[in-house]
Amino acid sequence: MTANGLPGPGTHKRAFNYDEQTDSYRCPAGQILLPEAKTRKTLNTREHRVYGTSTCGDYDLRAKCTKAGQGRRIKRYPGDGQREALRQVMQHPQAGRIFSQRKAIVAPVFSSLRGQQGLNRFRRRGLAAVRREFTLHVMAYNLSRAVALQRALFSFLWATYSPRASRGQLYALDFSPGFRASTAVTRAA
């Protein structure tokens, strides 16, 4: 946004208000952007609608909003409504706190399932078969966590009660699934 409240050339579409009843956008300067085109999903593009206006007859106003000769254009994707609703919910401080807890607890699990176990999609058909497949993936993840925690515990006990520990070496603890207890860290004096 510029100092006088008008959108600048780099203004994000969040600055434009979407009206679901009229299926149109209203720009910060008060102009209405109507649907102009609909693009179907292809191999390289997602489905979206294009909104635009040519009512910005005043060239100075158009120059403050966009560099395009035909006026400002906005793409609206099918998931934009959910994004806007989530953005409103996340403005509440308590929602942000809850989401940060979820991000710390759940997101690494699914990241591991996708990255280490290759669970990008299910390979079975039918709900019962998919449940069995997901249960096996979760069991494998839990076993890897249990092994990593057990390895870290044994490493800690070995570092605490080993004769090497008394000579100034302490083994670093790492609770990740790929933990290796072979890296020694010199104890700070």
Side-chain angles (χ1 to χ4, degrees), residues 35 46 52 159:
R46 294 186 296 162

Coordinates of all heavy atoms in Angstrom, one line a residue, residues 35 46 52 159:
P35 N -15.1 -11.3 -12.5 CA -14.5 -12.4 -13.1 C -14.4 -12.2 -14.6 O -15.4 -11.8 -15.3 CB -15.4 -13.6 -12.8 CG -16.5 -13.1 -11.9 CD -16.4 -11.6 -11.8
R46 N -2.8 -24.8 -12.1 CA -3.9 -25.2 -11.3 C -5.1 -24.4 -11.8 O -5.0 -23.4 -12.4 CB -3.7 -24.7 -9.8 CG -2.5 -25.5 -9.2 CD -2.4 -25.1 -7.7 NE -2.1 -23.7 -7.5 CZ -2.2 -23.1 -6.4 NH1 -2.7 -23.7 -5.3 NH2 -1.9 -21.8 -6.3
G52 N -10.6 -9.0 -12.9 CA -9.9 -7.7 -13.3 C -10.9 -6.6 -13.5 O -12.1 -6.8 -13.5
A159 N 28.3 -43.1 29.0 CA 29.1 -41.9 29.2 C 29.2 -41.5 30.7 O 30.2 -41.0 31.1 CB 28.5 -40.7 28.4

